Amino acid sequence: MLEKRVETISDDRWKKIIEDFQKLHENEERIERQLELEEAQKAKEEAKKALQEANKLKQEANKQVEEANKQTELETKRADVAEKQIQDMILRLSSTMDVKAMAILLNMSVDEIKKYI
């Protein structure tokens, strides 16, 4: 009977050791999954920050493009006004001068003068 009790205790201890080992193994796996999850969350946050930074840079670039477009539009309007003033001046001068004289006076070619007349 004593021998059977020793075997029972021994079996119970082995079962306990096996259960403890299984729990330990499960805990290690859970910890490993938790670490992987934390790493994935960190990577997600870094990607989110990089995306936000890229969006900021994109917005800044869009603002610069918009400003350049406005500047180009303004310069185009100024050029159109200057072109109109040249045309008006040439038309006024054409009533009193010939094309060659205007070309010399305005430092332009005869062909340039003719395109305004």
Side-chain angles (χ1 to χ4, degrees), residues 13-65:
R13 285 197 177 169
W14 274 113
K15 285 179 186 177
K16 178 70 173 152
I17 290 170
I18 290 170
E19 286 175 5
D20 289 346
F21 180 76
Q22 286 174 342
K23 286 180 184 177
L24 179 64
H25 184 67
E26 288 171 3
N27 285 340
E28 287 176 348
E29 287 179 348
R30 189 171 19 90
I31 290 171
E32 188 175 309
R33 285 192 304 269
Q34 183 66 30
L35 289 173
E36 289 173 355
L37 179 61
E38 288 174 5
E39 287 177 10
Q41 288 174 337
K42 285 180 185 177
K44 179 183 172 184
E45 285 298 317
E46 289 175 6
K48 185 178 177 181
K49 287 179 184 177
L51 181 60
Q52 288 173 341
E53 184 64 28
N55 284 336
K56 285 180 186 178
L57 291 173
K58 180 182 173 185
Q59 287 175 346
E60 289 175 18
N62 285 342
K63 285 179 184 178
Q64 290 176 352
V65 167

Side-chain angles (χ1 to χ4, degrees), residues 84-97 102 106 113 116-117:
K84 179 67 174 150
Q85 289 174 342
I86 291 170
Q87 184 178 14
D88 290 346
M89 180 176 46
I90 290 173
L91 288 175
R92 276 187 255 133
L93 288 174
S94 68
S95 65
T96 59
M97 296 182 165
M102 283 190 294
L106 299 174
I113 300 287
Y116 289 108
I117 297 176

